[in-house]
Amino acid sequence: MTRLENFISRMTAQRDILDQVCVEVAKMEGLVLELGLGNGRTFHHLRERLPGRRIVAFDRALGAHASSIPEAENLVLGEIRETASRFIGIDAALVHADIGTGYDDRDAVISTWLPDLIARLLRVGGIAVSGTPLDHPLLQRLPPPPSVPADRYFVCRRV
């Protein structure tokens, strides 16, 4: 698979999973957290799918398109591992994390702390969506939509 095909596959999986879970998240109380704002495409998509919902976005630095920048009070800049830790216990309804690098060694390091962080950010019953696996005893893996190949993108519920 070329890098372009891989990117398209990841983006399609991300969209399909978010579209599926947003129906449920819309019925839940709690913030939506976007770990990894990037250029803001997913933030923009979530804003459209969950109108009126508070979405707090985290990133190391601001690099989003002007149409996809959250309000100042909903943008947290700095090392995500540290800045998002300040939100532990917030009982988020949804945490989306797209912070993988595509480098196995770097992503292995992210996998050592991301699942626990997400588990501690979510409310019971809340949903996590991630480009990297979320192996944690409090996160129950859910099946993705039929359009998403196994292990392409991950969706879990906080138990």
Side-chain angles (χ1 to χ4, degrees), residues 95-116:
V95 176
H96 174 251
D98 187 10
I99 59 174
T101 65
Y103 293 97
D104 290 342
D105 58 334
R106 294 179 192 172
D107 290 347
V109 172
I110 292 170
S111 292
T112 65
W113 57 265
L114 183 63
D116 186 63

Side-chain angles (χ1 to χ4, degrees), residues 22 24-34 50-56 74 87 89-95 121-127:
C22 280
E24 187 174 346
V25 169
K27 301 172 190 172
M28 253 184 249
E29 290 189 28
L31 294 177
V32 171
L33 304 180
E34 172 74 345
L50 298 167
R53 190 62 163 268
R54 183 173 180 208
I55 303 170
V56 179
N74 293 323
F87 285 71
I90 199 82
D91 288 338
L94 172 66
V95 176
L121 291 169
L122 282 172
R123 66 180 298 123
V124 171
I127 298 174

Side-chain angles (χ1 to χ4, degrees), residues 12-140:
T12 301
Q14 186 183 98
R15 180 204 57 210
D16 292 354
I17 289 173
L18 289 174
D19 285 351
Q20 176 180 291
V21 302
C22 280
V23 173
E24 187 174 346
V25 169
K27 301 172 190 172
M28 253 184 249
E29 290 189 28
L31 294 177
V32 171
L33 304 180
E34 172 74 345
L35 305 183
L37 177 62
N39 62 26
R41 282 187 298 256
T42 306
F43 170 79
H44 190 267
H45 192 74
L46 288 169
R47 193 168 52 190
E48 292 290 319
R49 296 300 184 268
L50 298 167
R53 190 62 163 268
R54 183 173 180 208
I55 303 170
V56 179
F58 298 78
D59 214 325
R60 295 173 88 190
L62 183 58
H65 186 273
S67 67
S68 302
I69 298 174
E71 306 82 11
E73 65 272 14
N74 293 323
L75 177 63
V76 182
L77 298 177
E79 291 298 324
I80 293 171
R81 182 178 184 182
E82 297 165 13
T83 58
S85 293
R86 294 184 220 141
F87 285 71
I88 287 174
I90 199 82
D91 288 338
L94 172 66
V95 176
H96 174 251
D98 187 10
I99 59 174
T101 65
Y103 293 97
D104 290 342
D105 58 334
R106 294 179 192 172
D107 290 347
V109 172
I110 292 170
S111 292
T112 65
W113 57 265
L114 183 63
D116 186 63
L117 175 63
I118 288 177
R120 296 170 73 196
L121 291 169
L122 282 172
R123 66 180 298 123
V124 171
I127 298 174
V129 177
S130 175
T132 56
L134 296 173
D135 298 322
H136 191 279
L138 294 177
L139 298 174
Q140 176 187 34

